Amino acid sequence: MQASLKAIPFSFHRPPRFYYLLSSHSLSPFRLTSPSPFSSSSASSQWFGFLRDAISSSDLRLGKCTHARILTSEENPERFLINNLITMYSKCGSLNYARRVFDKMPERDLVSWNSILAAYAQSSEHVIDSTEEGFVLFRSLRQNVVFTSRMTLAPLLKLCLCSGYVWASEAVHGYACKIGLDSDEFVAGALVNIYLKFGMVKEGRVLFEEMPEKDVVLWNLMLKAYLDMGFKEDAYSSLLQCFADMVESNLECDSVTFVLVLSTAVRLDSLALGKQVHSMALKLGFDLMLTVANSLINMYCKLRKVGYARTVFNMCLFMELLRCGLTPDHYTMTSVLKSTSSLSLNKQVHVHAIKTNNVGDSFVSTALIDAYSRNKCMKEAEVLFSRNSLDLVACNAMMSGYTQSNDGDKTLKLFALMHKQGDRSDDFTLATVLKTCGSLFAMNQGKQVHAYAIKSGYDLDLWVSSGVLDMYVKCGDMKAAHFAFNCIPVPDDVAWTTMISGCIENGEEERAFHVYSQMRLMGVLPDEFTIATLAKASSCLTALEQGRQIHANALKLNCSGDPFVGTSLVDMYAKCGSIDDAYSLFKRIEMRNIAAWNAMLVGLAQHGEGKEALQLFEQMRSLGIKPDKVTFIGVLSACSHSGLVSEAYKQIKSMDRDYGIKPEIEHYSCLADALGRAGLVREAEKLIESMSLEASASMYRALLAACRVQGDTETGKRVATKLLELEPSDSSAYVLLSNMYAAASKWTEVKLARTMMRGQNVKKDPGFSWIEVKNKIHLFVVDDMSNPQAELIYEKVRDVIRDIKQEGYVPETDYTLVDVEEEEKERALYYHSEKLAVAFGLMSTPPATPIRVIKNLRVCGDCHNAMKYIAKVYGREILLRDANRFHRFKDGKCSCGDFW
């Protein structure tokens, strides 16, 4: 052995004599016998130290020499030394020697098996055959050793990963479950990694979600898996939701996290997402790490924002300047402060300014004020400002900071001080103050600023005039807003969108479309926000054709893929009664955020598609998208509108238990509504009484309507009393109470309820229905004769009643709320507003086309029944939207399943 050692070059820095002492005898290194109970533990400890050195330095030569000396000095080496010999040969890359040591062991414990499995796992990265042999070895282990540990599964899982065999990984997963190690953090994490590497992202995500503790490496693996999937199966949406969950878990991200999410922003062409991630990196101090900075520069360049990329580069350059020991001057500091919004970097520059005696420089101090104001650190800004002269730039920075920090009163005070001292304002000053007036609804002060702008000649400045417009819109003065808008010489897309949004916010939806038409005639292209705003206007008006035109514009402008636009269009189609179009569009949205899922869920619920809504909810959860409180409002509404009481209870328990969302009054309202619609009015009343939250008027109103349907006058009277205590002027409470008594033929109580209503000077909201035909709205009230075609409409109603009676329709005279003869009751039912609207639709639209009617109140039971017959007899689909939901009548059935 000595001769052979001379041919081997020395490794590391060990002297030749060191190896000579270990290799003084030429012995076979594989002569192992049973360990003696009287063997020297002190000698074993001596050789253990050499083995540890060989393992840590991967020094095979040292390991072999130590092995030889062990055999020379100890007749029966202890088992733990032999186990370490296996580990040593494994770490030194000699699987054959490790296996020979293992095979010659007279007795083996679990550590022996774990060590040889680890050797095969390490070798499997380079030798394919090692994987198969490793699995065979594990089968032998199962036959010889009863108990295994996580140290057994660690190399086994690595073998699975290297093998590429899905079946092997699933088998080991099952074995881990069997021995109770599936919840072990290391084992579960390794299994998640394997599933993700094999492209089984859904399986990996399920296991990932079940883990109680997850480190940043595991989160990054999930993000990487979704990124690799690209546009398949909502991968980017799942990635962003996964990132949001990671942030919400208060786990600190690392540089890899930011690199992955920034890559997502590039692939989605989303500057907004990139900026959000950049802001987070700034906040956590990762923005100047080399990998993150490179990703930021790459992201901004690919998203065509070279200026932003240059800013990031300059920041890196500044930090390099400091590392080189160079001292920045006031010009450098000012440039850096203007270039970054990183608070930590701003503070570093502040410190350097103090050290270099530059903090007194007016440019540096003003730049510091601006930097702290942009980060909403107003106390620090105020300290610097108090030491500064009343400089216009510094004042503007302070006012902007106050406005961003929701402290607008200080903005107005500082502006007043400037005005008092005779300091002249500029366009930035006036735009900031106008924004403050709008957010505070301070129209009087806003008018004064407007007057000052006119006096100082800034009223024609686009920035200032847009601020004036926005102020009037937010304060609700649309007359002044229209005047201000007309005074803008050349409005840009922001001004046009502000005007459109203002019309919608103040109930002038039709005017919004007129403004939009003018905008297009002027050649101004709308942006994503404009399109989303107009989609909202279509929803408010339930103007489906208008909404479709807006969708067409979105397609032409190539912005239909924007998540905000897509969500608004899904909501529009759902609220305009076209749930099929909503669902079709929803499935085409590549980047679905939680708002898109919620819009689709609520839409399905309103259309009575309860089972479909719950299936969508399960799909959402399987993709790892975390629901919020709005999601559960949609889910519970679906249960309510479909009579799924037990499912509603299940979901409201799941909110807190599975997602930590405390049910709020809206969620309990849905549950109470579900109970009431299912006829369980007493149980609903008990639920309201047992709540820790104070019941809302809407809860009592829904329960009172249920009492009316169920004919429970006793409960209805109690509920009406509580409702009137909350809202004495609520006309619906008196009407529902009166109708309930009328249905029960309690005419004395009816008169009493109506007397109470008159005594409170409360007037009933008139019921009306409308239908859009050829872009024109036709409105109807009960017994309405105002339409120019009234006689033809009434004749059509009589024909319809005749036809549906032949099919089996029987008027439900319980819904005639007057004490008259039966024949008069029937006639009173015929000319309800929704029947008139549907009759007009039958006259005015081509056969087989859907008829869409909207009613401001809840549809009555007789009209609901009649619509089912009309849809069947005339082969029409009738979409009726009432105050609560959509009713889709087709082939003699309604989508609500008679739960409304």
Side-chain angles (χ1 to χ4, degrees), residues 216-327:
V216 67
V217 175
L218 209 55
W219 281 99
N220 287 342
L221 283 173
M222 282 304 313
L223 294 175
K224 178 69 164 56
Y226 283 127
L227 186 64
D228 290 342
M229 286 177 68
F231 287 97
K232 299 176 184 175
E233 302 178 27
D234 303 308
Y236 289 133
S237 177
S238 300
L239 186 151
L240 295 180
Q241 185 61 47
C242 184
F243 178 59
D245 292 343
M246 180 181 181
V247 173
E248 193 175 322
S249 68
N250 294 321
L251 182 73
E252 282 196 13
C253 305
D254 63 8
S255 58
V256 177
T257 313
F258 287 105
V259 170
L260 290 169
V261 183
L262 287 168
S263 298
T264 306
V266 172
R267 294 193 187 183
L268 293 173
D269 198 29
S270 175
L271 180 63
L273 173 61
K275 284 183 174 180
Q276 290 176 17
V277 178
H278 190 181
S279 298
M280 188 175 175
L282 287 166
K283 184 178 179 181
L284 297 176
F286 282 95
D287 57 310
L288 296 178
M289 289 186 66
L290 184 59
T291 54
V292 179
N294 286 342
S295 294
L296 284 166
I297 293 169
N298 175 64
M299 182 267 295
Y300 281 126
C301 286
K302 288 184 176 177
L303 296 181
R304 304 166 296 281
K305 293 295 178 181
V306 180
Y308 291 150
R310 189 179 293 114
T311 297
V312 176
F313 180 76
N314 290 340
M315 292 305 98
C316 297
L317 206 60
F318 177 71
M319 296 306 293
E320 188 63 29
L321 180 148
L322 296 179
R323 290 190 193 101
C324 293
L326 300 174
T327 303

Side-chain angles (χ1 to χ4, degrees), residues 101 122 268 273 373 380 395 438 479 683 694 720 739 764:
V101 171
Q122 182 169 333
L268 293 173
L273 173 61
S373 296
E380 291 85 345
C395 288
K479 185 177 180 180
E683 190 173 337
E694 184 177 348
N739 292 353
K764 175 184 178 293

Side-chain angles (χ1 to χ4, degrees), residues 161-409:
L161 182 61
C162 293
S163 73
Y165 296 146
V166 174
W167 62 264
S169 307
E170 291 174 338
V172 174
H173 188 178
Y175 178 70
C177 294
K178 183 178 178 181
I179 63 176
L181 283 176
D182 56 311
S183 59
D184 179 88
E185 184 178 345
F186 171 79
V187 174
L191 283 166
V192 169
N193 180 41
I194 290 171
Y195 283 131
L196 297 181
K197 291 286 175 63
F198 289 173
M200 301 169 68
V201 180
K202 287 184 180 179
E203 292 81 355
R205 185 60 191 257
V206 170
L207 188 56
F208 176 82
E209 289 293 340
E210 292 173 353
M211 291 180 65
E213 297 291 334
K214 300 178 273 280
D215 61 13
V216 67
V217 175
L218 209 55
W219 281 99
N220 287 342
L221 283 173
M222 282 304 313
L223 294 175
K224 178 69 164 56
Y226 283 127
L227 186 64
D228 290 342
M229 286 177 68
F231 287 97
K232 299 176 184 175
E233 302 178 27
D234 303 308
Y236 289 133
S237 177
S238 300
L239 186 151
L240 295 180
Q241 185 61 47
C242 184
F243 178 59
D245 292 343
M246 180 181 181
V247 173
E248 193 175 322
S249 68
N250 294 321
L251 182 73
E252 282 196 13
C253 305
D254 63 8
S255 58
V256 177
T257 313
F258 287 105
V259 170
L260 290 169
V261 183
L262 287 168
S263 298
T264 306
V266 172
R267 294 193 187 183
L268 293 173
D269 198 29
S270 175
L271 180 63
L273 173 61
K275 284 183 174 180
Q276 290 176 17
V277 178
H278 190 181
S279 298
M280 188 175 175
L282 287 166
K283 184 178 179 181
L284 297 176
F286 282 95
D287 57 310
L288 296 178
M289 289 186 66
L290 184 59
T291 54
V292 179
N294 286 342
S295 294
L296 284 166
I297 293 169
N298 175 64
M299 182 267 295
Y300 281 126
C301 286
K302 288 184 176 177
L303 296 181
R304 304 166 296 281
K305 293 295 178 181
V306 180
Y308 291 150
R310 189 179 293 114
T311 297
V312 176
F313 180 76
N314 290 340
M315 292 305 98
C316 297
L317 206 60
F318 177 71
M319 296 306 293
E320 188 63 29
L321 180 148
L322 296 179
R323 290 190 193 101
C324 293
L326 300 174
T327 303
D329 60 11
H330 67 282
Y331 178 79
T332 308
M333 291 181 186
T334 304
S335 299
V336 171
L337 288 167
K338 288 180 178 178
S339 299
T340 180
S341 57
S342 169
L343 181 60
S344 59
L345 185 57
N346 290 335
K347 287 183 175 180
Q348 290 179 45
V349 176
H350 192 177
V351 169
H352 280 285
I354 294 171
K355 285 182 178 179
T356 57
N357 201 29
N358 278 313
V359 75
D361 181 89
S362 60
F363 290 104
V364 174
S365 61
T366 301
L368 282 168
I369 291 169
D370 179 56
Y372 282 122
S373 296
R374 280 188 277 119
N375 282 285
K376 301 180 183 179
C377 298
M378 295 313 297
K379 289 184 179 179
E380 291 85 345
E382 284 173 342
V383 171
L384 287 163
F385 185 69
S386 64
R387 300 171 183 169
N388 203 347
S389 59
L390 206 61
D391 176 72
L392 176 60
V393 179
C395 288
N396 283 346
M398 289 299 296
M399 286 189 288
S400 178
Y402 285 136
T403 301
Q404 291 177 37
S405 303
N406 298 317
D407 199 355
D409 289 330

Side-chain angles (χ1 to χ4, degrees), residues 570-810:
V570 167
D571 184 63
M572 179 274 296
Y573 277 120
K575 287 181 177 174
C576 290
S578 187
I579 193 65
D580 292 337
D581 287 333
Y583 207 5
S584 176
L585 177 60
F586 172 77
K587 288 188 286 188
R588 293 200 303 272
I589 297 176
E590 294 171 347
M591 171 70 180
R592 296 179 204 157
N593 53 23
I594 187 65
W597 287 93
N598 289 346
M600 196 65 244
L601 275 171
V602 172
L604 287 169
Q606 288 180 333
H607 282 263
E609 306 288 351
K611 292 181 180 178
E612 288 77 2
L614 293 174
Q615 286 173 2
L616 187 70
F617 179 56
E618 288 305 317
Q619 181 188 349
M620 171 184 165
R621 294 203 298 186
S622 70
L623 291 170
I625 299 171
K626 190 175 181 181
D628 59 15
K629 61 182 181 181
V630 179
T631 312
F632 278 103
I633 290 175
V635 170
L636 291 167
S637 294
C639 296
S640 171
H641 289 309
S642 302
L644 304 173
V645 176
S646 58
E647 184 67 26
Y649 271 114
K650 174 186 170 184
Q651 294 296 344
I652 209 161
K653 288 176 182 176
S654 170
M655 288 178 63
D656 193 10
R657 183 189 65 228
D658 299 333
Y659 301 100
I661 302 173
K662 296 289 183 184
E664 297 179 2
I665 194 67
E666 294 86 357
H667 302 104
Y668 283 116
S669 292
C670 291
L671 180 57
D673 192 41
L675 291 167
R677 290 175 193 272
L680 304 172
V681 291
R682 300 288 176 90
E683 190 173 337
E685 186 182 27
K686 288 178 183 177
L687 171 70
I688 295 173
E689 290 172 351
S690 63
M691 286 190 322
S692 57
L693 302 168
E694 184 177 348
S696 65
S698 62
M699 290 184 78
Y700 285 123
R701 198 176 294 114
L703 183 54
L704 183 56
C707 293
R708 154 77 180 86
V709 173
Q710 300 300 323
D712 190 342
T713 55
E714 182 182 345
T715 307
K717 187 175 180 180
R718 291 195 302 271
V719 172
T721 301
K722 291 176 181 177
L723 175 56
L724 291 171
E725 286 175 0
L726 290 174
E727 294 187 359
S729 299
D730 183 9
S731 63
S732 64
Y734 296 101
V735 172
L736 284 168
L737 189 62
S738 173
N739 292 353
M740 182 173 59
Y741 286 137
S745 298
K746 296 183 177 181
W747 302 112
T748 303
E749 286 82 352
V750 171
K751 290 179 180 178
L752 180 61
R754 291 176 178 173
T755 301
M756 289 170 58
M757 188 174 180
R758 285 193 295 270
Q760 292 288 335
N761 199 26
V762 176
K763 293 184 178 179
K764 175 184 178 293
D765 293 329
F768 53 85
S769 302
W770 70 93
I771 182 172
E772 182 180 357
V773 177
K774 296 179 181 178
N775 293 323
K776 185 177 180 182
I777 302 295
H778 299 267
L779 187 72
F780 298 91
V781 297
V782 64
D783 291 329
D784 189 8
M785 294 294 292
S786 61
N787 193 289
Q789 295 179 278
E791 290 186 8
L792 291 174
I793 294 170
Y794 273 65
E795 184 179 345
K796 185 65 176 178
V797 169
R798 288 190 289 271
D799 291 343
V800 168
I801 297 298
R802 181 197 65 221
D803 292 342
I804 63 176
K805 275 187 174 182
Q806 291 175 1
E807 190 66 29
Y809 163 72
V810 177

Side-chain angles (χ1 to χ4, degrees), residues 799-866:
D799 291 343
V800 168
I801 297 298
R802 181 197 65 221
D803 292 342
I804 63 176
K805 275 187 174 182
Q806 291 175 1
E807 190 66 29
Y809 163 72
V810 177
E812 298 183 29
T813 55
D814 288 347
Y815 290 94
T816 305
L817 307 175
V818 289
D819 187 12
V820 294
E821 294 298 325
E822 192 71 16
E823 186 177 340
E824 280 299 307
K825 286 185 177 182
E826 286 191 18
R827 188 196 172 281
L829 292 172
Y830 294 164
Y831 304 110
H832 280 190
S833 63
E834 51 265 59
K835 288 192 181 82
L836 294 173
V838 169
F840 181 77
L842 290 170
M843 290 168 46
S844 309
T845 59
T849 57
I851 296 173
R852 303 174 191 276
V853 174
I854 301 160
K855 184 173 183 179
N856 67 326
L857 302 178
R858 183 178 182 273
V859 62
C860 86
D862 177 73
C863 287
H864 187 272
N865 187 36

Side-chain angles (χ1 to χ4, degrees), residues 76-102:
N76 300 311
E78 292 186 11
R79 190 185 297 142
F80 92 93
L81 274 180
I82 303 173
N83 289 340
N84 276 277
L85 279 169
I86 297 171
T87 302
M88 179 273 295
Y89 281 121
S90 169
K91 294 292 185 182
C92 293
S94 183
L95 176 62
N96 289 335
Y97 281 136
R99 181 60 189 263
R100 290 171 69 183
V101 171
F102 176 79

